[in-house]
Amino acid sequence: QVQLVESGGGLVQAGGSLRLSCAASGSIFSINDMGWYRQAPGKQRELVATITSVGSTNYADSVKGRFTISRDNAKNTVYLQMGSLKSEDTAVYYCNAIGITSWKHRFDLWGQGTQVTVSS
């Protein structure tokens, strides 16, 4: 069984920074893609950023230049460094990981979500 545990959300003023972390644990053989998504009240969940196992990244246009995704493969952890935060970044942020378990089964998991609130 594989689990994702997120941390790092909170309340921050506009223009400030936050760093989110998401650690995967359990019977992991490998993790391919990891990413962050967010869902604001009344809106659909949207992609924020993704990163492959070799470090290729993809960002939503709305966060390019402000957010940076990174990962530590040895720790099965993905990070999201968020800067120049805006009120429209307020949302629940979810971590996602796609990989293979020790029993060679594919997994596609979501974290429990962490609230990010940006006050203006």
Side-chain angles (χ1 to χ4, degrees), residues 27-71:
S27 302
I28 299 169
F29 176 75
S30 65
I31 300 178
N32 300 325
D33 295 344
M34 301 186 83
W36 290 95
Y37 295 73
R38 66 187 181 187
Q39 187 167 17
K43 296 187 176 181
Q44 290 188 332
R45 189 174 298 187
E46 63 176 8
L47 178 146
V48 175
T50 61
I51 185 167
T52 69
S53 59
V54 295
S56 296
T57 58
N58 179 51
Y59 294 92
D61 288 343
S62 59
V63 306
K64 283 181 181 177
R66 300 188 298 120
F67 291 9
T68 300
I69 189 170
S70 61
R71 64 190 281 177

Side-chain angles (χ1 to χ4, degrees), residues 8 26 29 36 38-39 60 71 90 94 98 103-104 112:
F29 176 75
W36 290 95
R38 66 187 181 187
Q39 187 167 17
R71 64 190 281 177
T90 295
Y94 296 92
I98 299 172
W103 294 279
K104 302 301 187 289
Q112 79 281 7

Side-chain angles (χ1 to χ4, degrees), residues 72-84:
D72 184 334
N73 290 332
K75 296 181 179 180
N76 289 329
T77 300
V78 63
Y79 306 95
L80 185 68
Q81 180 67 48
M82 303 184 291
S84 302

